[in-house]
Amino acid sequence: PGSSKSLAKSIISHSINAGLCVDGNSITGCDNVYMQCYQCSQYTTSQGIVDLFNKTRTIQRESAAHSLACVVLDEVGLAEDSTNLPLKVLHSLLEDSATSEYSLKGPNVAFLGLSNWALDPAKMNRGIMVQLEDPTIDELTETALALIQPPGRAPDSYSENITPHIRSLSRAYLNLFNKQSTYVKKDYFGLRDFYYFIKMLYSLCHGYETPLNKRIMLHAIKRNFGGIVEMDVSDIFRECFTGLDDTKIGPLSTPTELIRVSIERHLSTYSYNGNLIFERSRYLLLLTENLVALDIISQSQIVSNKSKIIFGSSFPLDKESFNICHYINDIKRYMETGEVVILTNLSNLYESLYEIMNQSYYSLLGKYWVSIGIGSHRVECPVDPKFRLVVIADKNTVSDEFPPPLINRLEKHILTVSTLQTDNPIFEEIVNKLSNWINDFTTVDTQEGPIRYREDECFVGLQEDTTALVIYSTMSLLGFNCIDESNANKILEESKLRILRLATPDSILRLRKSRLNYESEFVSKNYFSFKLSSLADYLIESFRIQPADTQSLNQSFITTRSSLLTTNDISELTNDLKEAMELSNVRFDFVIQNIFLNQFNTEKEFVSTIKSDIYSHRLDCNTKVIILIQCEEGNTNCDVISCAKFKIVEIVNELKRCVNSNFSFIFIVRLLVTEHKSRFAGFCGLEWDSVHIDELRQPHYNLLPPLNIAFNLTVAEVFDYKFPVMLGLGEENSFKKTRLQRCVQTVVSNSTTDRGPRRVELLSMIVSNPEYS
């Protein structure tokens, strides 16, 4: 990637059409060439390629005698990854086989395929293959020298100062190029990264009016070779720092400053001490975890509040080309007005934006223009010089799914809470303390040795960066702009309480035997104070903290292991809430709207349903509207859930501008117990109250004692537990047999050994005992 294949194609095309010479030799026999370009991707189809050949042959038939029509498949290698195998049609199209179902009538046309890797031999041996090998150090050095001192331009003091370092920089890049496959995919850092690195060194030295120094060198390295946590790229370039001055002239290289500078320095000049610096910096790829970068950007002011976020839909039918065109129209509009556009969850769109990412702009009628292609369809769009593009993606998605041509077109940076606070030792100390607390929470010491439960088994949806995110959001919740010695302990204790809301009941019951046993009573008391034994208890406690008759907007994200609520369960929930309000002498009206996320095929259907529920109650500000959004199999629907959450946040922001808003949006996501850690995130940042409610229904519906009571009972006492008469469950109020019967299915389903049948026999024997009749 980055070896100027598209540039070479453009030079040849323009030279032929303008009647110019190439390398001193005139091009004869051809007056014009009409290149019909097709932007390939994993969504390319065989029919799309056939249609392009048909269109090109029609052009050839209708053109002048000395004109040539040419089919161009750009990034053809991406189409080879498609499950539809669209490139098989090339076998017959390139040979013009009359016996093939794809044989076409009409004149032959030229064909040009551009790819970053070799295709299978069945395709390559049907044409002339021109292959460019990896560059040598001499080739890199020659190209780098031409970048800082183009032919025909007199050298200046800055280029002369950088020239002695060019060979060592080229050697360091080749070393990085060979080592990168140990940590990331091959070509993660391509030639574009090296070329922009060299140009940035020159522009920074020129702008700051200083010889190359260590500060400028470090900034350029981190800007152009970022995006890897496991490897410190600056170590590979260590020899390049030899002989450089250690001055403070130049930009800072903190994570936030690198991103902020990259966004602010757009396609124009910027000033330093009255001098204008021209720097055409690339657009950004921010690698994050569970899209936490969106929360960071909204809270930290790294990007302007006026930036536009386009969150791609993951609903089943939103992968069609029609939806892609809708997103491109939004991007076109923002390009023309010069906005900062943030794209996320749009993997099926990025190949169409390659020309934008290349910044292949041309000037016409006083404006910049660029070409956007979807398959064989291309459109010319105006671009404001202030336009900036930012792609946000999960770092695992980038590693597994993003093609190298996309990755090295962009300037890469890691943006997580941990990287954001890299220079804050107190923050790192608090993160370590919270991590150690979680480690003690999840470790049980036995006679055979310690048993370590997975963190996400004890705290639902706990991910690698969750602890840092909890602390970061707690700072904002408590109104602290930064963390220091005066508030560190308060932030830590509040963070423990927030992460405790994700705990599972079984982990609470194990506390007395865990390494956290010294504070098990205190932790358990806090956990039970959250009222998470059922959804009804949680809502009642929420109403108590914030009276529901006041106008408010609330967002809750609830995970559960139980089955989702049915229509009958919603009726029971409504009755439970009304009874609890009567006991508390609380008077207000409420209504519960229940929808299932899995029933929607498109984002538009989902948003329309939500807004319909809102508008039907928007004039009645005295009625609390509780909108339940339930989702099955959260482990496998992470992308759909993230998309739906984002749309809910957008709707809430719209409602905040209304006078009458009294809504609660409650996500309920059912998770299955899995042997391996999933990428599902249970903590959703500051905007959501994230909790885990293991069983949504009231305990007495399952004939089980409340957890805070069961916490102090033996197993036998649990079976003998009698409910208060006020619940109206009967006079005997003892349900040993029923409780045992309800255990059978769970016990069998959780049995993965030969003990399963034996357990069924034992339970059947106990249940058939006359004592339980």
Side-chain angles (χ1 to χ4, degrees), residues 345-362:
N345 200 38
L346 285 166
S347 298
N348 55 343
L349 170 68
Y350 297 139
E351 284 88 353
S352 299
L353 305 180
Y354 276 5
E355 290 298 301
I356 297 176
M357 295 175 182
N358 289 342
Q359 299 187 39
S360 302
Y361 304 146
Y362 60 91

Side-chain angles (χ1 to χ4, degrees), residues 194-397:
F194 177 70
Y195 297 155
Y196 273 95
F197 168 61
I198 296 297
K199 290 192 288 185
M200 186 175 292
L201 288 177
Y202 177 81
S203 66
L204 290 175
C205 290
H206 190 277
Y208 283 95
E209 292 186 335
T210 181
L212 183 61
N213 59 50
K214 292 183 178 180
R215 188 164 180 169
I216 287 178
M217 176 72 77
L218 180 63
H219 183 84
I221 290 172
K222 288 186 176 293
R223 286 276 300 276
N224 294 281
F225 301 109
I228 300 181
V229 176
E230 297 81 5
M231 176 174 62
D232 187 357
V233 177
S234 58
D235 283 343
I236 297 178
F237 284 82
R238 186 171 299 279
E239 69 165 306
C240 304
F241 287 84
T242 304
L244 298 181
D245 292 336
D246 192 7
T247 67
K248 294 185 177 180
I249 301 177
L252 297 174
S253 297
T254 61
T256 53
E257 187 67 12
L258 290 170
I259 297 172
R260 186 190 62 79
V261 169
S262 299
I263 293 174
E264 288 185 356
R265 295 178 182 176
H266 41 70
L267 187 65
S268 65
T269 55
Y270 60 94
S271 176
Y272 171 74
N273 285 346
N275 298 310
L276 292 178
I277 305 175
F278 181 83
E279 180 187 327
R280 186 194 289 264
S281 59
R282 287 180 291 174
Y283 296 143
L284 270 68
L285 171 60
L286 301 183
L287 294 88
T288 186
E289 294 176 355
N290 298 298
L291 302 183
V292 71
L294 287 175
D295 293 325
I296 295 174
I297 285 175
S298 64
Q299 295 180 40
S300 61
Q301 304 291 317
I302 296 178
V303 181
S304 169
N305 290 331
K306 296 181 180 180
S307 59
K308 307 298 182 181
I309 300 177
I310 301 179
F311 197 114
S313 172
S314 294
F315 286 86
L317 298 185
D318 280 342
K319 300 294 185 181
E320 305 298 329
S321 58
F322 173 79
N323 215 47
I324 296 176
C325 294
H326 170 73
Y327 293 130
I328 285 184
N329 284 333
D330 288 341
I331 295 171
K332 286 167 55 181
R333 186 169 67 253
Y334 299 141
M335 284 170 53
E336 190 170 3
T337 55
E339 308 284 354
V340 176
V341 178
I342 300 173
L343 306 180
T344 187
N345 200 38
L346 285 166
S347 298
N348 55 343
L349 170 68
Y350 297 139
E351 284 88 353
S352 299
L353 305 180
Y354 276 5
E355 290 298 301
I356 297 176
M357 295 175 182
N358 289 342
Q359 299 187 39
S360 302
Y361 304 146
Y362 60 91
S363 180
L364 180 66
L365 302 176
K367 290 184 178 181
Y368 286 111
W369 297 78
V370 69
S371 177
I372 300 179
I374 307 177
S376 60
H377 305 287
R378 306 193 74 83
V379 60
E380 306 301 317
C381 309
V383 186
D384 188 280
K386 295 180 180 179
F387 168 73
R388 296 295 289 165
L389 187 69
V390 180
V391 176
I392 294 179
D394 186 274
K395 61 182 183 181
N396 293 325
T397 301

Side-chain angles (χ1 to χ4, degrees), residues 5 14 80 118 131 149 163 243 513 562-563 569 671 712 718:
K5 299 181 293 298
H14 293 162
E80 196 167 50
Q131 182 171 324
Q149 187 179 319
T163 296
K513 297 184 178 181
S562 73
S563 58
D569 293 326
L671 298 175
N712 295 306
V718 168

Side-chain angles (χ1 to χ4, degrees), residues 91-110:
H91 296 179
S92 56
L93 292 175
L94 296 181
E95 290 186 349
D96 196 24
S97 173
T99 61
S100 169
E101 60 178 309
Y102 296 109
S103 59
L104 303 172
K105 296 181 179 180
N108 290 330
V109 294

